[in-house]
Amino acid sequence: MPTLAPTPALAAYESLAPGYDAFTAGHDHDLWLRRILALALAHGLAGRRVLDVACGTGKSTAPLVARGFDVTACDISPSMAALATRRLGPTVSVSVADMRDLPARLGTFDLVVCLDDSINYLGDREDLVTAFASVARLLHDRGIYVFDVNTLAAYRASYEQPTVTAIGGAVFCWRGDLGDAPAPDGLHEAQLDAFLPEPDGRVARLASHHVQRHFGDETIRSALAEAGLRCVEVVGQLPGVRFSRPADDDVHAKRLYVARSAR
Ligand SMILES: C[S@@+](CC[C@H](N)C(=O)[O-])C[C@H]1O[C@@H](n2cnc3c(N)ncnc32)[C@H](O)[C@@H]1O
């Protein structure tokens, strides 16, 4: 097992955790998971055991639980995992785990998902291979792995200029710093300052720094192959959970991958 470099994602999400659900209030996870499950079924998903890697506060996990799947979840951030436990209740096992080193004790799975930019928090291609190999070890022979990555279009749209958004009583200030980017396989950084109203009338400030890497299609495919996985489909995703093909990095906000074991 290679030594894992510390990831800035841990500090980012430890800080953002109490504001994450408000920040992502516009994300329709129920519709997204419905479409992802339809895609997985079209690729022959059989079985009910699902692992949600980088589950965050459980927004990506809850629709799977609601559809009767036997779900396990994990995230690198203890604060995000604690909120997932609160959302999902005692019947769902939520662990603190790094996606680059998923413990065997989690079990084996028919479907593994890793959603909403989580893969973009991996530092480089080596991290990517390590994370994919970690999933490959827990995937049944006929299991399916679905994950998304941000496109260059997404970085152009959300990292090029500052935005201030009010959601409920909370205010989020997002400042992207692209430098020479957006660049294929390049780093994209942003500062997020969240101001959350507290029950006692005070306002809590949550400061988090987000470092994401764009991963081009070639990089993803070669890393999957090196990890013993086979890419079986890539779908482009537009806002409003609209899937279309072929995926285009300059048009779609996300590329959604379906992979299987190469065994
Ligand atoms: C944008 S959130 C997505 C959460 C959830 N999947 C959703 O759809 O709401 C990204 C999540 O990735 C997690 N994460 C980042 N790097 C990780 C790693 N190396 N291992 C496990 N989780 C990681 C963060 O802690 C965070 O909860």
Side-chain angles (χ1 to χ4, degrees), residues 63 120 189 215 220:
N120 293 104
E189 302 195 30
F215 290 110
I220 295 279

Side-chain angles (χ1 to χ4, degrees), residues 2-42:
T3 312
L4 300 179
T7 167
L10 174 57
Y13 280 93
E14 280 299 281
S15 173
L16 178 59
Y20 181 79
D21 285 356
F23 186 57
T24 58
H27 297 202
D28 190 341
H29 277 83
D30 194 65
L31 178 59
W32 198 15
L33 270 296
R34 177 146 47 92
R35 299 215 162 135
I36 285 172
L37 285 170
L39 193 60
L41 284 166

Side-chain angles (χ1 to χ4, degrees), residues 55-58 73 78-95:
C55 64
T57 60
S79 299
M80 295 292 273
L83 290 169
T85 299
R86 197 189 318 160
R87 166 175 271 122
L88 302 168
T91 58
V92 178
S93 161
V94 182
S95 302

Side-chain angles (χ1 to χ4, degrees), residues 195-246:
F195 301 89
L196 292 191
E198 303 257 298
D200 63 5
R202 287 189 296 184
V203 173
R205 176 178 172 220
L206 318 174
S208 57
H209 189 72
H210 296 259
V211 183
Q212 291 202 354
R213 185 173 290 282
H214 171 267
F215 290 110
D217 185 55
E218 278 306 308
T219 308
I220 295 279
R221 284 173 188 267
S222 71
L224 283 169
E226 198 172 326
L229 294 167
R230 185 167 47 93
C231 176
V232 292
E233 187 167 12
V234 188
V235 180
Q237 185 174 318
L238 293 163
V241 197
R242 286 172 295 146
F243 291 174
S244 66
R245 302 158 178 89

Side-chain angles (χ1 to χ4, degrees), residues 7 9 13 20 29 32 52-57 59-60 74-77 80 97-100 115-118 121-122:
T7 167
Y13 280 93
Y20 181 79
H29 277 83
W32 198 15
D52 185 8
V53 175
C55 64
T57 60
K59 291 180 91 172
S60 47
C74 64
D75 197 279
I76 198 169
S77 156
M80 295 292 273
D98 191 315
M99 69 170 100
R100 298 167 295 176
L115 299 174
D116 217 358
D117 317 348
S118 304
Y121 284 95
L122 294 168

